[in-house]
Amino acid sequence: MSANPADPSLNWQRLAPLIPNPGRYPILPPLTPRQEVALLCRVLFQEGYNDHIAGHITYRMDDGTLLVNPWELAWDEVCASDILTLDANGQILDGQWNVTPAINLHRDMHALRHDARLVIHNHSEWGSVWAACKRVPPIYDQTSSLVDTDPVIYDEYQGTVNDSAAGRAAVEALGEHKWALLANHGVFLVARDIRQAHLRAITLEWRCRLAWRVEQLGGGSPLAPETATAMGRMTDGNGFPFLWEAMARRELRRDPRVLD
Ligand SMILES: [Zn+2]
């Protein structure tokens, strides 16, 4: 395939003419938002978002309702039919399971950020290390630079974010930023669509893991800030076409029941 995923002018709707063998596409079957949320849970579990049953992904529908993964299920077992529908206040409208007590974090984030279709919180394996150290991981390689800003560090951990005031404080700390390390807790990020949510989540975890490894060897030379910013602006802007699709296909091969 000849399309350049780093081309900032790449518009997903205009991809077909750029692809030499369009008969092989679409590269994912049409998915409902419920299926997208379940797939994102599965894909991110494989990427380090795997603290047992911790973590939540919300998806704001056009009518203001929210989709969310259930409290009881680990991210690697969620299917589309498990996804709950909530009203804008976080009350369950439809679904068989319970909703996390920390839903206030997502409810308040969606209320504050209308540009955020998706909100993700988890205690990811490597993000939690840098969150515990209250440090922003340097960018040491290209894959760490796929998002153009640093995560903010929110350092007011006072237990879970179930409490409304604690959740609201975390939301206000994120403000207009894309992502945050919650000190002594985990990670928190927002995105405009499924592709960008996936890219931000995997970039944060990759960046945290790679920086830890580099520093274990005594440290390296971070990318020049202008180089990292230019790269990240392109890829975060277009969500890095084909990347989410490839990882979603990998998960569909592993367990196609995720769409059920
Ligand atoms: Zn948490």
Side-chain angles (χ1 to χ4, degrees):
M1 129 186 4
S2 63
N4 175 8
D7 180 352
S9 66
L10 207 53
N11 178 304
W12 187 246
Q13 280 70 39
R14 293 168 49 223
L15 281 180
L18 301 176
I19 296 170
N21 186 2
R24 298 176 56 199
Y25 295 84
I27 56 179
L28 269 183
L31 299 172
T32 65
R34 204 173 288 272
Q35 290 173 322
E36 287 187 328
V37 172
L39 252 179
L40 187 58
C41 286
R42 300 281 195 113
V43 167
L44 293 185
F45 184 91
Q46 305 296 336
E47 296 275 355
Y49 289 69
N50 55 16
D51 178 10
H52 308 93
I53 64 166
H56 355 98
I57 297 175
T58 48
Y59 182 115
R60 181 180 48 74
M61 303 287 282
D62 289 337
D63 64 1
T65 59
L66 301 177
L67 304 181
V68 66
N69 59 294
W71 186 12
E72 297 97 320
L73 301 182
W75 281 20
D76 63 337
E77 62 180 340
V78 173
C79 294
S81 56
D82 297 316
I83 301 299
L84 304 169
T85 303
L86 312 178
D87 67 18
N89 294 318
Q91 300 300 308
I92 296 175
L93 295 174
D94 182 44
Q96 310 274 336
W97 301 98
N98 288 298
V99 63
T100 170
I103 193 62
N104 56 294
L105 184 68
H106 293 251
R107 179 198 64 202
D108 294 348
M109 196 74 240
H110 284 291
L112 185 71
R113 290 282 297 272
H114 295 289
D115 60 320
R117 173 77 71 178
L118 285 107
V119 177
I120 300 177
H121 167 64
N122 205 322
H123 316 146
S124 62
E125 188 173 352
W126 295 95
S128 296
V129 173
W130 291 84
C133 295
K134 302 173 188 172
R135 288 180 55 198
V136 173
I139 296 176
Y140 285 113
D141 75 333
Q142 176 177 289
T143 307
S144 301
S145 73
L146 299 181
V147 178
D148 60 329
T149 60
D150 284 334
V152 293
I153 293 188
Y154 176 63
D155 184 16
E156 297 294 333
Y157 187 59
Q158 298 167 342
T160 68
V161 286
N162 305 359
D163 172 74
S164 284
R168 172 73 69 173
V171 164
E172 289 174 353
L174 187 66
E176 294 304 309
H177 296 279
K178 300 173 178 178
W179 49 4
L181 296 172
L182 307 181
N184 305 107
H185 186 169
V187 304
F188 188 37
L189 62 93
V190 301
R192 64 157 190 263
D193 58 27
I194 198 86
R195 186 176 297 106
Q196 189 181 62
H198 170 254
L199 181 72
R200 289 179 177 178
I202 65 172
T203 300
L204 182 56
E205 190 66 358
W206 180 282
R207 178 173 167 177
C208 288
R209 183 178 59 205
L210 191 102
W212 187 88
R213 287 171 167 166
V214 168
E215 297 205 356
Q216 287 305 299
L217 272 181
S221 301
L223 254 60
E226 59 275 19
T227 304
T229 300
M231 178 70 183
R233 194 170 290 149
M234 283 193 292
T235 44
D236 187 57
N238 63 23
F240 205 136
F242 313 125
L243 180 53
W244 154 246
E245 288 77 6
M247 298 303 100
R249 289 196 306 273
R250 177 179 291 173
E251 184 58 35
L252 287 170
R253 286 193 299 274
R254 200 182 72 82
D255 183 7
R257 293 172 300 176
V258 61
L259 300 185
D260 292 349

